[in-house]
Amino acid sequence: MSSEKTPLVFCELCVRQISGDAENVTTCSESFECQLCFGIMDQSMIDEVGEKVQEELQKLPYDSNSFILALNLPVGQTLREILVNRLRPDFNGTLVQVPHKVRNIDGYLKKLGSYSGKRPTLSSDLQLMITFEQDESDFTDLQFLQSAFPNDFRVGKRNRYSHQEAPTSCSKQQLQQVTGRINEQIARKYVFKSPTRKCTFSLQFERDPVFVAGRYCKYSRCLPQSPWSEDKDAPREPGNSVSEKVCDVLKKQFGASDSRFVTSGREDIDVRMLGNGRPFVVELRNCRITLPVRGLNYLETLKSVEETINAQKDIKINSLTRVPRELAEKLCVGEEDKRKQYCAYCYSILPISDEQFAAARSKIPLTIVQKTPVRVMKRRALLDRERTIFSMDFLKLDDHHFEVRLETQAGTYIKEFVHGDFGRTRPSLAELLHVENGEVDILELDVEKVDLEWPPKLKEGQPPVKFR
Ligand SMILES: [Zn+2]
């Protein structure tokens, strides 16, 4: 076995920190030619990144005084770190024992701290990710790994059934899988080349989402819950949905780039949501302003946000509060166990007697089976669903009109339960009243109560949560 040392070309910094006074290492004139760091560690590169960070923050500032730094280094650089390690045990630079990633982070951390005016920490809700790219050797690196580990990099292994192009680079995960098996003998087959140009880089700031929970009431019969209304005939007016009326105000207030409106169930566009409202939670992503909802400030801030939202017509929200992610995620858990109360204003073609109402009522509690309703068949899977009707009370208004108050298991299709949906819901209210399916129908429907403790309450006497 040859004991000849693989010749390498390093930048001045890598010579000092990695190779030390070992022989067979040449110093390059341009730092990007460094076969180990690709010039990423060069002061001019760090300054260039720092200036870009400063520029971005001036354009769109975040009111955070700290940040976490994450570097996404080229995969080729990780590979070279491993190879150099195997090939040159004679290296004795000052940081030769320090992992490459740590060396990079250290190089950037302090400088970026001063450029950004923010403190680099290990725990912040703001993350700065810098992605460096230098793809000149990607394909030859992949070929090297393919020939060293044919079983791990079988050509076409993943693409046999798809028409995707063959891969031109190796992923970090793939490299990680074989790292332990790259020995000196394999490493010797690698041909080190210097990059011919500088790395490129991109920045991405990402802030932990803020979750705001509350309940909404809807007083209009032509306001959809979301702009992605399933009702094709519904007029689409930008801003005219419950989710937009709530989210737009929040997004603006906290400079969020995006939001997600999650609710406990949904009502049709022509159904009002009354009582204490339907539980919801808004996930606000990448907020630029969170100071007003940090500490205990959120209580006051959200009170005023609530007022702003409620100044719009057709909706009212209440109980707006900030919740941690774990609680926000509980909103949709156990959906089937929830109960909902409805009030339906109905019309019957034939007059209905008190005896008929009493007979229907005597069947409660009642289990019904609903086949997927005709009106949603196109977009929902066809299946039979069992649902429970827990209570049913009638108020006769005249021979042809009555109100029925229902308490049902969440997920019951109320309109279909009333008119029978061509026999697809059984038994239906029409059946229970001994009239034909379709002879009783809903004129107006309201949701009166969604049975869920929301927003989740802290135990009595506990102080409110403080948010970071
Ligand atoms: Zn270097």
Side-chain angles (χ1 to χ4, degrees):
M1 183 103 206
S2 157
S3 62
E4 196 186 306
K5 304 274 183 257
T6 308
L8 291 162
V9 178
F10 277 9
C11 69
E12 267 177 49
L13 192 75
C14 288
V15 167
R16 194 164 71 239
Q17 295 185 339
I18 306 295
S19 58
D21 58 13
E23 41 186 52
N24 250 357
V25 177
T26 322
T27 308
C28 50
S29 52
E30 295 284 354
S31 62
F32 65 77
E33 293 167 339
C34 178
Q35 291 174 344
L36 185 59
C37 80
F38 301 166
I40 287 173
M41 294 294 290
D42 193 87
Q43 281 307 316
S44 69
M45 186 69 176
I46 299 176
D47 282 324
E48 200 182 316
V49 172
E51 276 160 27
K52 187 78 185 156
V53 167
Q54 197 172 40
E55 191 189 310
E56 294 277 305
L57 284 174
Q58 269 163 4
K59 261 192 284 180
L60 291 164
Y62 286 87
D63 68 347
S64 169
N65 45 25
S66 64
F67 71 100
I68 298 173
L69 178 63
L71 297 183
N72 189 10
L73 300 168
V75 62
Q77 208 186 69
T78 313
L79 173 64
R80 284 158 193 242
E81 183 195 1
I82 299 160
L83 297 169
V84 166
N85 229 312
R86 305 287 191 272
L87 294 168
R88 302 296 304 259
D90 58 320
F91 279 0
N92 57 14
T94 52
L95 298 180
V96 71
Q97 303 293 343
V98 176
H100 201 67
K101 190 133 195 168
V102 175
R103 190 166 73 102
N104 271 287
I105 293 261
D106 280 350
Y108 275 82
L109 215 51
K110 219 173 151 205
K111 268 280 175 83
L112 292 189
S114 71
Y115 272 108
S116 66
K118 299 184 190 303
R119 189 166 36 89
T121 60
L122 291 173
S123 79
S124 171
D125 65 346
L126 180 64
Q127 180 186 261
L128 166 59
M129 163 83 88
I130 306 170
T131 302
F132 291 96
E133 272 182 73
Q134 169 49 275
D135 58 8
E136 282 180 0
S137 64
D138 277 3
F139 190 58
T140 48
D141 287 354
L142 178 68
Q143 286 179 318
F144 162 75
L145 290 166
Q146 275 171 344
S147 77
F149 306 101
N151 289 331
D152 296 84
F153 292 87
R154 230 181 305 158
V155 182
K157 181 181 166 193
R158 287 167 60 205
N159 300 298
R160 198 180 300 157
Y161 300 108
S162 73
H163 300 289
Q164 285 171 13
E165 302 268 315
T168 54
S169 64
C170 136
S171 71
K172 282 195 177 142
Q173 290 78 3
Q174 284 176 309
L175 178 58
Q176 216 163 17
Q177 274 173 27
V178 300
T179 299
R181 286 178 276 149
I182 301 178
N183 55 30
E184 193 197 335
Q185 200 189 347
I186 290 171
R188 277 192 178 280
K189 294 185 185 139
Y190 189 83
V191 182
F192 281 86
K193 275 193 194 141
S194 283
T196 63
R197 49 181 158 79
K198 276 167 67 176
C199 285
T200 56
F201 68 90
S202 58
L203 305 180
Q204 203 192 353
F205 283 99
E206 184 73 45
R207 204 170 204 179
D208 292 347
V210 169
F211 295 91
V212 175
R215 305 181 78 111
Y216 76 83
C217 295
K218 187 191 98 170
Y219 303 113
S220 159
R221 296 197 190 278
C222 43
L223 181 67
Q225 189 195 59
S226 86
W228 321 109
S229 170
E230 292 181 342
D231 185 352
K232 294 273 180 293
D233 303 323
R236 275 163 207 263
E237 226 184 282
N240 193 51
S241 67
V242 176
S243 86
E244 286 161 291
K245 280 173 188 274
V246 174
C247 293
D248 288 356
V249 173
L250 285 163
K251 266 163 72 179
K252 195 172 163 210
Q253 182 91 21
F254 304 114
S257 62
D258 198 6
S259 67
R260 197 164 66 102
F261 190 64
V262 180
T263 57
S264 171
R266 58 180 289 273
E267 67 282 331
D268 289 336
I269 181 167
D270 58 350
V271 175
R272 295 189 301 175
M273 179 67 234
L274 308 177
N276 62 349
R278 186 183 292 281
F280 69 82
V281 65
V282 180
E283 178 180 353
L284 293 161
R285 293 173 180 152
N286 210 9
C287 294
R288 296 187 173 270
I289 306 151
T290 67
L291 195 59
V293 281
R294 276 187 241 158
L296 286 177
N297 287 349
Y298 72 98
L299 295 165
E300 203 126 308
T301 304
L302 292 177
K303 198 167 276 180
S304 98
V305 170
E306 194 171 303
E307 281 165 18
T308 311
I309 291 172
N310 288 346
Q312 305 169 93
K313 65 175 179 106
D314 299 337
I315 66 157
K316 278 255 170 320
I317 61 161
N318 66 75
S319 316
L320 205 60
T321 188
R322 191 175 167 182
V323 291
R325 180 194 283 272
E326 315 83 77
L327 288 183
E329 282 166 357
K330 286 210 173 121
L331 179 59
C332 292
V333 177
E335 196 67 35
E336 306 246 310
D337 300 333
K338 289 171 198 162
R339 291 185 181 201
K340 306 207 171 167
Q341 286 174 23
Y342 297 87
C343 180
Y345 172 48
C346 301
Y347 172 79
S348 170
I349 294 173
L350 301 171
I352 292 172
S353 67
D354 292 342
E355 288 71 32
Q356 280 166 291
F357 284 128
R361 205 174 172 279
S362 71
K363 299 290 195 319
I364 295 301
L366 170 76
T367 303
I368 60 167
V369 178
Q370 299 199 295
K371 287 188 191 298
T372 306
V374 170
R375 68 187 165 101
V376 300
M377 248 159 52
K378 271 186 213 154
R379 49 182 195 266
R380 299 272 161 85
L382 292 180
L383 42 99
D384 288 3
R385 310 207 292 174
E386 266 192 18
R387 287 292 183 269
T388 306
I389 313 288
F390 299 105
S391 77
M392 183 158 73
D393 291 294
F394 296 97
L395 176 66
K396 189 171 169 173
L397 301 170
D398 61 37
D399 278 352
H400 295 279
H401 294 89
F402 64 91
E403 268 182 14
V404 57
R405 281 213 145 71
L406 297 163
E407 180 172 355
T408 72
Q409 188 182 352
T412 308
Y413 290 108
I414 302 300
K415 290 174 180 171
E416 282 68 19
F417 168 63
V418 171
H419 61 59
D421 199 27
F422 310 102
R424 300 175 64 84
T425 287
R426 300 216 52 197
S428 65
L429 180 60
E431 264 176 82
L432 295 173
L433 291 170
H434 296 289
V435 298
E436 293 290 316
N437 276 329
E439 290 189 344
V440 172
D441 205 353
I442 289 185
L443 297 175
E444 283 181 352
L445 179 64
D446 294 330
V447 186
E448 297 203 313
K449 191 176 171 198
V450 177
D451 202 11
L452 173 71
E453 193 188 298
W454 192 264
K457 289 206 173 43
L458 289 162
K459 287 192 190 87
E460 203 79 27
Q462 257 183 279
V465 190
K466 284 186 189 172
F467 287 93
R468 198 171 66 181

